[in-house]
């Protein structure tokens, strides 16, 4: 029957039980987390590449925990200017930063950083260009070592 009707295979496949469905759901969630972490790492690497190109490798601290009580971290910390640099990803595909809860959480985080004396610079993933990274560097008082035309 399956040789003549490909749908017969699907109909005859055994049903999965609740535990197996939960395991598949857990795996899907883990893959989604890994995918998100890979995208975040790619954005961080792109920013660092542009930053190092613009500033001749002015030091930054990645994943800087800036709050004494909360688990908040900034993507980068520039110690000389006491500035946090945040990369806002997913701004055009409904990512966390543009959904109501994520946006409100970001506002709380950035206000807390400002209250602690940090300067907060933000850049969206779609605007991550050498020109915009140079603009951030200059706003932090970093000497830019390349000439932009």
């Amino acid at each position: 029957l399956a040789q003549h009707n490909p749908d017969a295979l699907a109909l005859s496949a055994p049903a999965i039980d609740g535990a197996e469905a939960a395991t598949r759901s857990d795996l899907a969630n883990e893959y989604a987390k890994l995918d998100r972490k890979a995208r975040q790492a790619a954005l961080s690497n792109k920013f660092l590449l542009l930053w190092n190109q613009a500033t001749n490798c002015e030091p930054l601290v990645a994943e800087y925990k800036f709050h004494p009580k909360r688990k908040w971290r900034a993507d980068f910390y520039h110690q000389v200017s006491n500035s946090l640099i945040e990369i806002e990803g997913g701004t055009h595909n409904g990512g966390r930063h543009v959904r109501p809860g994520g946006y409100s959480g970001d506002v709380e985080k950035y206000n807390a950083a400002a209250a602690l004396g940090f300067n907060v610079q933000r850049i969206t993933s779609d605007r991550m260009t050498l020109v915009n990274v140079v603009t951030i560097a200059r706003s932090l008082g970093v000497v830019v070592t390349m000439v932009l035309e």
Side-chain angles (χ1 to χ4, degrees):
L1 179 67
Q3 292 173 341
H4 302 291
N5 182 1
D7 293 333
L9 286 175
L11 295 174
S12 64
I16 58 173
D17 64 10
E20 187 175 348
T23 301
R24 287 184 183 185
S25 177
D26 291 344
L27 283 173
N29 289 337
E30 286 301 313
Y31 284 128
K33 273 189 211 173
L34 289 173
D35 188 41
R36 184 172 57 250
K37 287 182 188 255
R39 287 192 309 269
Q40 289 169 340
L43 286 174
S44 292
N45 288 340
K46 181 179 179 182
F47 181 84
L48 278 177
L49 180 71
L50 294 169
W51 178 266
N52 289 338
Q53 187 179 353
T55 69
N56 199 23
C57 301
E58 177 79 16
L60 291 174
V61 178
E63 290 295 314
Y64 181 74
K65 184 179 183 310
F66 68 89
H67 197 277
K69 295 179 182 174
R70 303 288 299 263
K71 292 182 180 181
W72 285 325
R73 294 182 183 275
D75 293 318
F76 296 101
Y77 172 62
H78 183 251
Q79 187 174 6
V80 174
S81 65
N82 197 41
S83 298
L84 305 177
I85 301 169
E86 284 284 289
I87 301 169
E88 309 290 354
T91 54
H92 292 285
N93 61 5
R96 181 195 144 326
H97 297 290
V98 296
R99 293 191 303 257
Y103 187 83
S104 294
D106 285 348
V107 168
E108 179 185 10
K109 175 181 171 179
Y110 302 145
N111 286 342
L116 291 169
F118 293 100
N119 172 26
V120 180
Q121 295 290 314
R122 300 167 64 196
I123 187 168
T124 58
S125 56
D126 63 315
R127 300 284 190 229
M128 198 179 306
T129 63
L130 185 57
V131 171
N132 290 333
V133 172
V134 164
T135 299
I136 289 174
R138 286 182 174 150
S139 76
L140 304 182
V142 174
V143 175
V144 174
T145 56
M146 70 175 315
V147 178
L148 296 175
E149 295 159 20

